[in-house]
């Protein structure tokens, strides 16, 4: 059977926050955060056993408000960041906290409905810049070399360095854009190339690049989408390629050296596209998710770092190997290779596993978390 059945985990509350455990290289683990106005919100650490096709969980009480996003640094285990909404007087603010937690591997199986143990998060550092505005994004440094992070606050970019052993973070640099001429930040990602000195942000319908050394803008893709840009993803293997998606129901792929038009457009969803995600290892595999309740796995070999696939070595005049090449080319055509329909609500979050390149998790607003796999036929075509 080419397609392995997905594994589904249900949360009690609505949810839209999901992230992979970046520092964990051996286990398939994800964090999920809830959005509840009435009860204490929770963060679930989900561990997936691929061999047993089963899930175990560890639950943390989140002492703050509704969780809007989660992030983990690749440099440190047992560190987690949440961005959440909190009522302060007569207004609601978006704040962020860096937490420390104790992981208990294989804590509780999903079949154990009684005596669920709730663990505790310990606050390391809180970011509350209410005088600057709401926090729009929290971006950890994308490699293990540093504990730096970037905070996007409406019209501000702030670069911090975190002291993991203490309870403080030093502000390294910051910049502010003119709010009268430029819309507020909506999301952002770190550029994993160029010694990790750049980030990419979305502001309404535009996409912009920033050099963190000078805190200056490096490029602008004006009107990248007709409506709001929802998500960005950087190609891990091609240093100038960025993907974006938005409320125009499209995902677009850009070479930031040529910003006048995208190198490719996907127009396969029937509603807003909330996520576009490059595979961390095989950049021809790209996931998208939408308010239409579907997740699509796309093969985009033509704009990947291996546009002709991972071909066998051959010698001149070897007709058999040439035949293998042609066959391999034909099986790696661009397009949708799998449609996942396990959700019944808007799929607000989507993440590849940090430890298994063939597995990903998707999360819909009704609290349904789905563990899915790349079809084996696609996996073998990429590897062979």
């Amino acid at each position: 059977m080419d397609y392995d059945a997905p594994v589904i985990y249900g949360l009690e509350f609505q949810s839209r926050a999901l992230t992979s455990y970046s520092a964990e290289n051996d286990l398939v683990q994800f964090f999920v955060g809830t959005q509840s106005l009435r009860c204490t919100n929770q963060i679930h650490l989900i561990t997936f056993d691929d061999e047993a096709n089963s899930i175990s969980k560890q639950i943390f009480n989140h002492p703050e408000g509704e969780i809007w996003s989660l992030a983990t640094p690749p440099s440190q285990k047992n560190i987690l960041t949440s961005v959440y909404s909190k009522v302060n007087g007569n207004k609601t603010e978006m704040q962020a906290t860096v937490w420390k937690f104790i992981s208990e591997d294989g804590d509780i199986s999903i079949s154990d409905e009684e005596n669920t143990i709730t663990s505790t998060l310990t606050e390391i550092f809180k970011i509350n810049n209410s005088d600057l505005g709401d926090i729009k994004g929290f971006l950890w440094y994308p490699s293990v070399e540093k504990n730096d992070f970037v905070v996007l606050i409406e019209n501000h970019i702030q670069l911090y360095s975190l002291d993991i052993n203490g309870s403080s973070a030093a502000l390294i640099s910051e910049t502010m854009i003119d709010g009268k001429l430029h819309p507020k930040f909506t999301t952002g990602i770190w550029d994993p190339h160029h010694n990790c000195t750049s980030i990419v942000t979305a502001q309404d319908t535009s996409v912009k690049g920033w050099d963190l050394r000078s805190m200056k803008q490096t490029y602008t893709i004006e009107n990248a989408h007709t409506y709001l840009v929802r998500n960005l993803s950087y190609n891990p293997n091609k240093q100038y390629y960025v993907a974006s998606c938005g409320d125009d129901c499209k995902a677009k792929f850009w070479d930031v050296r040529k910003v006048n038009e995208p190198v490719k457009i996907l127009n396969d969803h029937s509603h807003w596209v909330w996520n576009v995600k490059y595979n961390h290892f095989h950049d021809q595999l790209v996931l998208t998710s939408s308010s239409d309740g579907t997740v699509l796995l796309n093969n985009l070999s033509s704009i990947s770092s291996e546009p002709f696939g991972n071909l066998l070595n051959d010698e001149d005049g070897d007709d058999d190997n040439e035949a293998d090449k042609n066959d391999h080319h034909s099986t790696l055509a661009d397009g949708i290779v799998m449609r996942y329909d396990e959700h019944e609500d808007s799929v607000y979050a989507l993440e590849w596993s940090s430890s298994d390149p063939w597995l990903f998790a998707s999360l819909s607003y009704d609290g349904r978390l789905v563990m899915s796999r790349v079809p084996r036929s696609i996996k073998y075509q990429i590897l062979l």
Side-chain angles (χ1 to χ4, degrees):
M1 182 178 179
D2 178 49
Y3 175 57
D4 294 308
V7 177
I8 299 175
Y9 174 77
L11 288 86
E12 182 180 357
F13 307 120
Q14 294 173 325
S15 179
R16 67 168 70 220
L18 169 70
T19 190
S20 178
Y21 193 172
S22 302
E24 178 56 66
N25 297 319
D26 298 324
L27 301 174
V28 176
Q29 292 187 310
F30 295 90
F31 289 95
V32 188
T34 65
Q35 283 193 326
S36 174
L37 288 172
R38 298 182 178 180
C39 303
T40 300
N41 282 285
Q42 299 175 337
I43 295 177
H44 292 221
L45 172 56
I46 304 299
T47 302
F48 178 66
D49 186 335
D50 193 27
E51 294 184 1
N53 211 39
S54 64
I55 285 176
S56 59
K57 66 182 178 181
Q58 184 179 356
I59 300 175
F60 302 90
N61 273 337
H62 186 264
E64 304 292 352
E66 297 177 87
I67 304 169
W68 286 82
S69 66
L70 297 169
T72 60
S75 59
Q76 294 284 341
K77 287 190 175 183
N78 299 327
I79 299 295
L80 172 71
T81 301
S82 63
V83 177
Y84 50 87
S85 58
K86 187 172 183 177
V87 178
N88 186 4
N90 59 355
K91 65 177 181 178
T92 301
E93 300 174 349
M94 295 295 293
Q95 302 179 7
T97 298
V98 181
W99 308 95
K100 191 169 186 178
F101 63 91
I102 298 176
S103 176
E104 301 173 7
D105 296 339
D107 181 30
I108 300 171
S109 169
I110 60 172
S111 62
D112 298 331
E113 299 296 338
E114 299 180 357
N115 302 320
T116 298
I117 300 172
T118 303
S119 303
T120 302
L121 298 170
T122 302
E123 179 183 317
I124 293 180
F125 180 71
K126 178 174 289 185
I127 301 172
N128 177 14
N129 292 315
S130 57
D131 54 327
L132 301 180
D134 289 336
I135 292 178
K136 300 296 185 178
F138 192 107
L139 318 176
W140 282 106
Y141 192 84
S143 78
V144 299
E145 298 173 357
K146 296 181 180 180
N147 295 321
D148 293 356
F149 59 85
V150 165
V151 180
L152 302 177
I153 309 175
E154 294 197 355
N155 298 316
H156 289 75
I157 300 175
Q158 295 184 329
L159 174 62
Y160 288 86
S161 181
L162 180 68
D163 176 12
I164 292 294
N165 296 321
S167 58
S168 63
L171 179 63
I172 301 174
S173 59
E174 65 178 320
T175 189
M176 180 182 70
I177 59 175
D178 187 349
K180 297 180 180 179
L181 300 177
H182 300 276
K184 300 174 182 178
F185 294 116
T186 53
T187 188
I189 55 169
W190 208 300
D191 177 353
H193 309 291
H194 310 101
N195 296 318
C196 304
T197 57
S198 304
I199 63 169
V200 185
T201 63
Q203 294 165 256
D204 195 30
T205 62
S206 300
V207 175
K208 302 178 185 294
W210 301 86
D211 189 326
L212 294 176
R213 296 165 297 185
S214 63
M215 283 295 181
K216 301 295 185 182
Q217 187 176 308
T218 54
Y219 63 83
T220 302
I221 305 175
E222 295 288 357
N223 300 315
H225 290 264
T226 309
Y227 303 107
L228 185 68
V229 179
R230 291 284 180 183
N231 194 230
L232 301 165
S233 183
Y234 220 108
N235 188 312
N237 301 329
K238 296 187 73 172
Q239 61 181 343
Y240 296 108
Y241 277 62
V242 177
S244 62
C245 65
D247 288 358
D248 56 2
C249 309
K250 298 177 181 179
K252 297 184 179 182
F253 299 82
W254 307 89
D255 182 339
V256 299
R257 299 166 298 182
K258 306 172 183 178
V259 298
N260 291 330
E261 60 180 83
V263 295
K264 196 172 189 66
I265 299 176
L266 301 181
N267 191 18
D268 302 306
H269 286 286
S270 60
H271 207 261
W272 301 344
V273 182
W274 281 85
N275 290 276
V276 56
K277 300 289 182 181
Y278 272 107
N279 187 283
H280 301 313
F281 303 93
H282 308 288
D283 58 294
Q284 60 267 62
L285 296 179
V286 178
L287 289 167
T288 58
S289 70
S290 168
S291 302
D292 63 12
T294 63
V295 176
L296 301 180
L297 174 63
N298 300 273
N299 176 71
L300 302 180
S301 295
S302 65
I303 59 171
S304 73
S305 58
E306 293 185 355
F308 305 111
N310 186 16
L311 300 178
L312 299 171
N313 292 328
D314 69 302
E315 298 179 359
D316 292 340
D318 190 332
D319 294 335
D320 292 337
N321 279 348
E322 190 64 33
D324 288 340
K325 285 184 180 182
N326 293 333
D327 180 67
H328 197 69
H329 283 213
S330 64
T331 58
L332 288 174
D334 283 13
I336 299 172
V337 296
M338 191 69 192
R339 181 184 296 270
Y340 302 86
D341 296 314
E342 287 76 26
H343 292 283
E344 298 178 355
D345 205 337
S346 299
V347 186
Y348 284 146
L350 183 67
E351 290 287 342
W352 287 100
S353 167
S354 298
S355 59
D356 186 342
W358 312 110
L359 190 141
F360 64 92
S362 53
L363 177 68
S364 50
Y365 190 55
D366 56 5
R368 177 177 293 187
L369 177 72
V370 181
M371 300 286 187
S372 304
R373 301 175 181 86
V374 174
R376 275 175 278 180
S377 60
I378 302 302
K379 173 181 176 180
Y380 296 150
Q381 288 167 23
I382 290 174
L383 293 177
L384 295 178

